[in-house]
Amino acid sequence: MNIKMDLSEIILYLDLMKKEDKRPLLNELKMMLYFLEDYQQVKEFYNKLKEPKLNIQFKFLAYSLIHFIEEREECIKLKQHILSKSKRKYYSLFIHEILLCKSQEEAMNIIDEAKQYGIELGEIWASRYDSMWRIKNDQKAWKEGIEHDQAELFPEMYEEFCEMKAKYFENLPLEHLKQNLLKEQTNGLNNRKVGKVSVFPRSVHVKEFAKRVSKGICQLCDEKAPFVDKQGNPFLEVHHIKYLSEKGTDTIDNVVALCPNCHRKIHLLELDQDFKKIKKKALKNMEF
Ligand SMILES: [Zn+2]
Ligand SMILES: [Zn+2]
């Protein structure tokens, strides 16, 4: 599969659906869940889904989502929410809580609680508390199942997102895009200081800014982009001047748009003269 969505694209996808009064389909939500990389991202995704306007039916998504919850408190909240909405027997909600709890005694209590809902888990589960490795295995198995059954739907859903995204950015003046990003940069910093989760993953917007100011011209070799993408936009890749892995920031003063050749070259050769050139370009981008 040659598509990949990052969290910022997923959040944007949900926002655009919200704007168009569309409710994401279960398969679309599963695709998003599939692409998340760690529990932090799961939490941000889950928080987003709780927005009332999205109208998410958690009782259907719960079978999938539950495997990715890594905190007992969150697990209990999801479980209670589901049980209040549906009379079905959700074995996995209780089993997952056992895997997260810390003692045999707690596990026994969960087994008893399940009985009240007509769910017989069996005593064997009493010893399976505190099993993060089982949770990781379940996550892996879920992803493999998705690859087997649903991954062929992903390109189609992804393309729909690309069209929505292109339309959205087409109607968003560059000046607004820049203002949003600069505003968010300050908010983001303040949020980090107080330990809040960022609510506006920037990446997709930062990339759009870099592509837009480059006007389809590679910012290293100054040549036109080699081809246009399916939406008719010049194909350039966004490069972080100071790498994110080296604590570079995902901000508009740290990115340039490059043709695929130059992008390869920059990473392979890491030439000082190239570095200086793109650094200058990035500063000039900011003057736009
Ligand atoms: Zn180039
Ligand atoms: Zn790069």
Side-chain angles (χ1 to χ4, degrees):
M1 196 177 14
N2 55 2
I3 61 159
K4 169 99 189 80
M5 286 184 100
D6 70 18
L7 181 65
S8 71
E9 291 178 305
I10 289 169
I11 301 287
L12 178 62
Y13 200 177
L14 291 168
D15 277 334
L16 294 178
M17 283 190 172
K18 205 166 62 179
K19 237 190 225 158
E20 294 187 11
D21 263 326
K22 278 191 196 164
R23 181 196 280 180
L25 302 171
L26 184 59
N27 275 335
E28 287 168 329
L29 293 169
K30 282 185 182 173
M31 175 180 77
M32 296 174 194
L33 191 56
Y34 177 87
F35 283 128
L36 300 177
E37 285 169 4
D38 54 33
Y39 184 51
Q40 185 59 34
Q41 294 198 347
V42 170
K43 275 208 281 199
E44 290 194 40
F45 175 64
Y46 185 25
N47 280 337
K48 185 78 192 169
L49 295 186
K50 286 180 194 162
E51 286 181 10
K53 265 195 86 182
L54 278 169
N55 218 337
I56 303 289
Q57 301 274 333
F58 281 104
K59 60 182 180 184
F60 300 120
L61 185 63
Y63 289 109
S64 298
L65 184 60
I66 191 69
H67 300 301
F68 294 89
I69 303 291
E70 296 182 8
E71 287 167 312
R72 185 169 175 203
E73 205 180 310
E74 279 302 331
C75 175
I76 293 173
K77 272 194 235 157
L78 180 62
K79 185 185 77 179
Q80 283 167 346
H81 174 77
I82 301 296
L83 294 174
S84 71
K85 298 267 175 206
S86 168
K87 296 246 176 297
R88 282 159 87 166
K89 292 182 180 176
Y90 288 91
Y91 284 79
S92 55
L93 295 176
F94 292 97
I95 288 175
H96 193 79
E97 194 192 342
I98 291 177
L99 301 181
L100 284 168
C101 80
K102 294 292 176 205
S103 70
Q104 184 152 11
E105 198 192 337
E106 287 175 327
M108 297 290 283
N109 289 339
I110 296 166
I111 292 172
D112 283 343
E113 191 200 347
K115 280 182 192 148
Q116 295 166 23
Y117 292 90
I119 296 172
E120 287 292 339
L121 293 179
E123 298 300 309
I124 184 134
W125 287 98
S127 60
R128 298 197 177 160
Y129 57 90
D130 201 12
S131 299
M132 193 47 87
W133 66 271
R134 276 184 217 268
I135 291 175
K136 294 292 177 191
N137 274 353
D138 287 347
Q139 293 174 356
K140 222 176 111 206
W142 182 85
K143 287 199 173 187
E144 282 165 4
I146 287 285
E147 276 162 25
H148 189 263
D149 300 332
Q150 266 141 351
E152 62 191 48
L153 301 171
F154 288 2
E156 208 177 303
M157 294 189 271
Y158 183 69
E159 199 163 318
E160 196 187 338
F161 164 65
C162 289
E163 274 161 30
M164 282 164 87
K165 180 173 78 167
K167 209 163 63 184
Y168 165 70
F169 280 131
E170 236 170 70
N171 294 317
L172 184 70
L174 185 53
E175 194 49 41
H176 285 190
L177 181 60
K178 185 179 172 184
Q179 289 316 323
N180 287 348
L181 281 163
L182 290 176
K183 199 169 69 197
E184 166 47 32
Q185 217 162 297
T186 7
N187 285 346
L189 280 177
N190 292 339
N191 277 348
R192 236 164 288 143
K193 265 182 228 147
V194 293
K196 262 200 224 157
V197 175
S198 122
V199 286
F200 180 72
R202 275 180 306 245
S203 170
V204 64
H205 307 268
V206 172
K207 282 184 189 148
E208 174 68 16
F209 178 84
K211 287 182 186 171
R212 200 82 81 82
V213 287
S214 73
K215 297 200 174 77
I217 307 291
C218 169
Q219 299 198 292
L220 185 59
C221 68
D222 298 314
E223 295 288 333
K224 253 176 76 182
F227 60 91
V228 293
D229 65 18
K230 281 185 180 165
Q231 283 70 41
N233 297 315
F235 185 85
L236 292 173
E237 296 172 341
V238 175
H239 171 70
H240 287 84
I241 300 172
K242 186 169 186 209
Y243 299 165
L244 294 177
S245 56
E246 284 164 18
K247 297 211 165 111
T249 52
D250 193 22
T251 48
I252 54 180
D253 54 352
N254 190 40
V255 288
V256 283
L258 302 175
C259 73
N261 270 344
C262 287
H263 197 192
R264 274 285 177 84
K265 179 186 171 211
I266 284 249
H267 279 276
L268 272 174
L269 303 184
E270 298 190 311
L271 297 178
D272 204 37
Q273 75 225 45
D274 290 349
F275 181 77
K276 279 186 186 139
K277 181 164 179 187
I278 56 173
K279 187 96 198 150
K280 224 187 248 169
K281 285 273 171 76
L283 286 177
K284 219 164 150 211
N285 287 348
M286 294 289 292
E287 286 165 19
F288 181 88

